[in-house]
Amino acid sequence: MKLRHLGLVCACVRLISGHRLEKPAPLPLATRIVTQFPNPTWIENIAVWSNGDLLITELLPKPILYTIVNPASSAPQVRLLRDFSAKEPPVEGLTGIAETLHDVFVFVGGSTTNLSFHAWSVNFTSAAHNPSTTTDPIIKKIAELKDVKLPNGVATLPGSPSSVLIADSLAGLAWRLDILTGKSIVAAQTLEMGAPSNETDPRKRVGINGIKVHGGFLYFSNSNSRSVYRVKIRKDGTRDPSAHAQLVGRLPENVSFLDDFAVTSHGGKGATVFGTTSSDNRLWAFVQGKSPVVVAGELDKLTLAGSTAASFGRGKRDRDILYVVTSGGVAKPLNGSLTEGGKVAAVDLRTFCPSIMIG
């Protein structure tokens, strides 16, 4: 990993708002805690609502869907939308979530013990965009994911709003789920999505993990190879038959795992990917053809302990904020014993400059 001298004038384009910067800030970037849960709590994924609120999924110890109201404020409110613990068939944890239509989200989860997985929708269109509202959203099961081995990341399809893509980490492929019919088909499968099936370490058997659709490409992370790839897809989410997976970036060998990520354009010259790394406790940035850099968090600190997923703010107050959710280091405690409750952290990207990254 190499950095240009951080005192040099960067003159790059701000990632989200488009304003120009004079100088980049030293890395890692500043973070703040939006909200934190009891220990142990493993927050797995995050999506941002059109009104700026956050939706987050809990993997452990309970399968819970939360909303975080006014995350950019000094006093965000945490609301439990649904605890799936008592549902039948049993649900052990929730994983990926993404917005499909305006104020409609799809999320997945299930039980690895019973190998039973499902997809649900949460519909806010009947609820007022008012933090004091008592109107509950409509939550319903939309599909049993019979052929899915381990559902993980979920991605929105801009050209097909009635469908989502779902990463299958054990099968090494991406499904397309029709949320109206509940039917799913294989949308994309490449060698780069897979992981060794003979591995005894469960973490090393996780291939494709996070997925996002951006600029006509399906971006995906492979946890086993610590890499981000992209492959051209059609409007319906299926892979372009003539397209091959392109490497966006790969983390150093001393990083053991790559989890979910967020992706955004920068100055019309490509895309920047921000990858979470679970037990590596850090947030890394990828620009295609460049060496990845650590953006936030530290290996031996709780700042982003067990980072699992990230998503950009959508409001005027947080359009330069990347929200990162964590597991609190449950999978690999710091110094062998230190953990904390999972949390939502806000990483300030206003002074991050992709041009400091060099190949």
Side-chain angles (χ1 to χ4, degrees), residues 9 22 53 58 197 224 242 269 312 315 322 336:
V9 174
E22 291 304 319
D53 295 348
E58 182 177 323
S197 59
N224 178 269
S242 63
K269 297 181 180 180
F312 295 102
L322 183 66

Side-chain angles (χ1 to χ4, degrees), residues 149-162:
K149 294 183 179 180
L150 183 63
N152 207 326
V154 178
T156 302
L157 266 175
S160 182
S162 62

Side-chain angles (χ1 to χ4, degrees), residues 14-340:
R14 187 182 293 180
L15 289 176
I16 310 301
S17 64
H19 298 302
R20 299 185 70 81
L21 301 173
E22 291 304 319
K23 293 182 180 180
L27 299 177
L29 298 173
T31 67
R32 67 175 176 87
I33 297 175
V34 175
T35 192
Q36 189 159 19
F37 294 82
N39 192 7
T41 301
W42 182 313
I43 303 301
E44 176 64 13
N45 217 296
I46 179 172
V48 183
W49 190 8
S50 61
N51 68 349
D53 295 348
L54 310 180
L55 289 171
I56 60 174
T57 60
E58 182 177 323
L59 182 66
L60 295 172
K62 292 184 177 182
I64 298 177
L65 179 68
Y66 296 96
T67 183
I68 312 297
V69 180
N70 292 329
S73 73
S74 59
Q77 302 174 39
V78 179
R79 292 186 176 174
L80 189 155
L81 294 180
R82 179 72 60 87
D83 183 344
F84 290 81
S85 300
K87 301 298 178 182
E88 292 292 339
V91 178
E92 295 174 348
L94 302 180
T95 53
I97 184 168
E99 186 177 31
T100 56
L101 298 168
H102 182 68
D103 294 347
V104 179
F105 296 79
V106 169
F107 58 100
V108 296
S111 168
T112 55
T113 302
N114 297 292
L115 298 179
S116 172
F117 304 107
H118 299 85
W120 297 266
S121 66
V122 52
N123 188 332
F124 290 95
T125 56
S126 61
H129 288 203
N130 185 333
S132 64
T133 183
T134 57
T135 305
D136 292 326
I138 299 172
I139 301 175
K140 65 178 182 180
K141 185 170 73 175
I142 57 176
E144 180 180 359
L145 305 176
K146 295 181 179 180
D147 298 318
V148 179
K149 294 183 179 180
L150 183 63
N152 207 326
V154 178
T156 302
L157 266 175
S160 182
S162 62
S163 301
V164 294
L165 298 181
I166 301 173
D168 191 334
S169 292
L170 292 185
L173 54 84
W175 298 89
R176 188 189 72 183
L177 171 67
D178 186 318
I179 63 177
L180 300 179
T181 66
K183 295 181 179 180
S184 56
I185 63 169
V186 174
Q189 184 172 22
T190 72
L191 291 175
E192 293 81 3
M193 294 179 178
S197 59
N198 58 351
E199 277 284 356
T200 56
D201 184 345
R203 287 170 59 83
K204 293 183 178 180
R205 292 183 60 198
V206 176
I208 184 174
N209 188 319
I211 53 174
K212 299 290 185 295
V213 176
H214 184 78
F217 288 88
L218 172 63
Y219 284 75
F220 62 92
S221 59
N222 185 303
S223 295
N224 178 269
S225 66
R226 315 172 322 281
S227 304
V228 174
Y229 295 90
R230 69 176 192 173
V231 64
K232 193 73 173 177
I233 58 173
R234 297 178 288 199
K235 287 186 177 182
D236 66 355
T238 58
R239 173 190 167 195
D240 184 328
S242 63
H244 299 281
Q246 305 168 2
L247 179 67
V248 176
R250 178 174 286 118
L251 292 180
E253 291 187 3
N254 61 357
V255 179
S256 62
F257 196 86
L258 176 59
D259 212 314
D260 211 328
F261 62 92
V263 59
T264 185
S265 296
H266 56 85
K269 297 181 180 180
T272 300
V273 173
F274 294 91
T276 61
T277 53
S278 189
S279 57
D280 183 69
N281 306 326
R282 292 180 285 183
L283 178 74
W284 291 72
F286 298 79
V287 174
Q288 194 155 16
K290 308 291 185 178
S291 298
V293 299
V294 175
V295 176
E298 296 180 68
L299 186 61
D300 58 351
K301 293 186 178 180
L302 290 170
T303 310
L304 294 179
S307 60
T308 53
S311 191
F312 295 102
R314 295 175 65 178
K316 291 182 179 180
R317 298 175 61 186
D318 62 358
R319 58 183 177 178
D320 293 307
I321 294 297
L322 183 66
Y323 292 106
V324 178
V325 291
T326 77
S327 67
V330 171
K332 186 180 179 181
L334 278 72
N335 302 320
S337 60
L338 183 61
T339 64
E340 66 174 4

